[in-house]
């Protein structure tokens, strides 16, 4: 049985802009997005424009990435050259930790919209369940009051959906119990070395969609290698063998595996050739046994690469794989 981008909802051929099933989202969000983390300001505009021209209709941004002005210029250029409307593209950004105080939340949103040159966001995420104390400047677990401020803004025309990123099970439960609005999306690290299958299934049962960041795992240069790390994901022998069998690249195989769980995935690249290669995953078809083989990789290698618990001085990801 062939697995195409619509695998989580139905089998068969799929439009290049196929959205996730609306069972999981209040609005349409394409399976395949373009991430902007670690894209330098000197070529962020070119990369984003190239992504839109290649066919991407889902962009992921964040204040802390430090490139939103350049990304905004790329959006404007790409929309014009691709001849698509703003309403045809799903755009996500994120609230950073230094603006969790409720009095600062709207200011953060307005700055993001200004930098990106947009009137609204399709999705605004709380980047971490961590805020910086106004009194001490130190990091602390802080998300309820900031979320309530986001809820108020959700009622305006500035945001279509709100969500979270990097929350633990206890934090997500706490947030839902103390709020009127359930997160529409939870963005988290997911790849064959950190599949988080049970955690994903729990979100689907709650009606919360999932977006996978770092779909290429330790291929991301941000992650400093350490002793005992698994091989680079795109050099993993299982992925390479499947890629050869299916006439795809290892990157494309990783992306198809990612959205086969019903998640959206947001690979990033500053190279036009890789941007196009990743988008070509929409034409990569895997067999059920391929997906099962990839599922088994984490039995040998289980690794979370993005865990700033020590940096923030708080414990993150309690109750999750490789916390």
């Amino acid at each position: 049985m062939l697995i195409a981008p619509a695998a989580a909802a139905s089998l068969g051929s799929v439009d290049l802009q196929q959205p996730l099933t609306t069972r999981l989202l209040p609005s349409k969000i394409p399976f395949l997005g373009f991430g902007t983390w670690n894209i330098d300001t000197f070529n962020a505009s070119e990369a984003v424009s190239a992504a839109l021209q290649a066919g991407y209709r889902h962009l992921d941004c964040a204040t802390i990435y430090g490139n939103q002005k350049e990304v905004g210029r790329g959006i404007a250029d790409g929309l014009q050259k691709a001849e698509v409307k703003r309403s045809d593209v799903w755009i996500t950004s994120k609230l950073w930790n230094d603006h969790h105080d409720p009095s600062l939340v709207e200011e953060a949103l307005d700055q993001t919209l200004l930098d990106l040159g947009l009137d609204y966001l399709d999705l605004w995420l709380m980047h971490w369940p961590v805020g910086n104390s106004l009194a001490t400047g130190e990091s602390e677990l802080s998300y309820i009051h900031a979320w309530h401020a986001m809820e108020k803004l959700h009622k305006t025309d500035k945001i279509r959906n709100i969500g979270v990123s990097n929350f633990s099970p206890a934090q997500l439960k706490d947030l839902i119990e103390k709020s009127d609005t359930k997160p529409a999306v939870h963005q988290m690290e997911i790849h064959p070395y950190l599949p988080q299958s049970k955690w994903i299934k729990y979100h689907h049962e709650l009606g919360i969609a999932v977006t996978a960041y770092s779909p290429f795992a330790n291929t991301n240069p941000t992650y400093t290698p350490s002793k005992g790390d698994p091989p680079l994901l795109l050099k993993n022998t299982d992925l390479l063998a499947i890629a050869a069998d299916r006439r795809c690249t290892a990157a494309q195989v990783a992306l198809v595996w990612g959205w086969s769980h019903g998640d959206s995935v947001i690979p990033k690249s500053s190279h036009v050739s890789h941007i196009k290669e990743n988008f070509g995953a929409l034409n990569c078809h895997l067999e059920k046994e391929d997906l099962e083989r990839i599922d088994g990789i984490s039995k040998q290698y289980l690794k979370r690469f993005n865990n700033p618990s020590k940096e923030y001085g708080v414990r993150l990801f309690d109750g999750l794989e490789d916390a």
Side-chain angles (χ1 to χ4, degrees):
M1 182 179 293
L2 295 178
I3 306 298
S10 61
L11 296 171
S13 62
V14 62
D15 184 272
L16 292 183
Q17 298 178 39
Q18 174 70 40
L20 283 169
T21 170
T22 52
R23 178 179 64 83
L24 302 181
L25 277 176
S27 302
K28 293 181 178 180
I29 177 172
F31 274 93
L32 181 58
F34 181 72
T36 60
W37 184 23
N38 285 337
I39 297 184
D40 291 335
T41 54
F42 79 88
N43 69 343
S45 299
E46 179 184 358
V48 170
S49 179
L52 289 170
Q53 292 176 67
Y56 291 84
R57 298 295 179 261
H58 172 188
L59 303 175
D60 183 79
C61 319
T63 297
I64 193 61
Y65 299 167
N67 59 9
Q68 287 198 134
K69 289 182 180 180
E70 292 76 16
V71 167
R73 287 196 286 270
I75 291 172
D77 185 65
L79 291 178
Q80 180 182 17
K81 290 180 177 176
E83 298 183 343
V84 296
K85 298 179 294 184
R86 160 67 183 95
S87 57
D88 293 329
V89 182
W90 178 284
I91 301 178
T92 296
S93 190
K94 308 177 191 73
L95 172 71
W96 187 241
N97 306 353
D98 60 359
H99 276 68
H100 275 215
D101 185 275
S103 67
L104 301 177
V105 172
E106 186 168 17
E107 173 188 295
L109 175 61
D110 288 344
Q111 187 63 53
T112 282
L113 292 173
L114 179 65
D115 289 346
L116 292 172
L118 303 176
D119 296 323
Y120 71 92
L121 292 174
D122 296 277
L123 174 64
W124 200 34
L125 302 175
M126 185 181 299
H127 210 144
W128 292 92
V130 176
N132 295 342
S133 168
L134 287 180
T136 66
E138 298 295 321
S139 296
E140 59 187 8
L141 289 175
S142 171
Y143 50 89
I144 296 296
H145 296 306
W147 181 257
H148 290 168
M150 291 174 68
E151 283 185 304
K152 291 179 181 178
L153 292 169
H154 185 215
K155 297 175 183 178
T156 72
D157 58 3
K158 296 178 181 180
I159 320 173
R160 301 291 170 84
N161 300 279
I162 55 176
V164 297
S165 182
N166 300 305
F167 272 52
S168 72
Q171 290 159 355
L172 182 62
K173 182 175 183 290
D174 184 45
L175 183 77
I176 292 173
E177 289 178 347
K178 295 178 179 176
S179 307
D180 295 327
T181 307
K182 182 171 59 179
V185 179
H186 190 171
Q187 188 176 123
M188 62 185 77
E189 181 182 350
I190 299 172
H191 43 73
Y193 293 150
L194 190 73
Q196 306 212 77
S197 302
K198 292 181 180 178
W199 189 215
I200 292 171
K201 182 179 179 181
Y202 177 72
H203 283 75
H204 292 177
E205 291 170 351
L206 289 177
I208 299 174
V210 173
T211 294
Y213 71 73
S214 294
F216 301 147
N218 51 347
T219 305
N220 189 323
T222 297
Y223 301 141
T224 304
S226 59
K227 187 177 181 179
D229 273 0
L232 293 176
L233 181 65
L234 299 189
K235 299 293 185 181
N236 181 280
T237 54
D238 288 302
L239 258 67
L240 290 172
I242 293 169
D245 287 344
R246 306 305 170 208
R247 298 184 179 180
C248 303
T249 67
Q252 291 168 348
V253 169
L255 293 174
V256 176
W257 174 87
W259 68 52
S260 73
H261 297 88
D263 311 324
S264 54
V265 293
I266 47 172
K268 71 95 181 174
S269 179
S270 56
H271 301 286
V272 174
S273 60
H274 291 159
I275 290 170
K276 292 180 178 179
E277 174 191 342
N278 294 340
F279 193 73
L282 292 165
N283 296 314
C284 175
H285 300 278
L286 302 183
E287 300 280 357
K288 182 180 178 182
E289 55 264 31
D290 298 330
L291 299 176
E292 292 173 347
R293 182 176 178 180
I294 299 170
D295 287 340
I297 290 175
S298 63
K299 294 178 181 178
Q300 181 179 6
Y301 303 111
L302 182 64
K303 176 74 174 184
R304 181 184 299 276
F305 294 98
N306 191 19
N307 188 348
S309 294
K310 292 182 179 179
E311 177 186 348
Y312 292 158
V314 298
R315 183 164 176 77
L316 301 167
F317 306 119
D318 258 345
L320 296 175
E321 293 173 328
D322 196 32

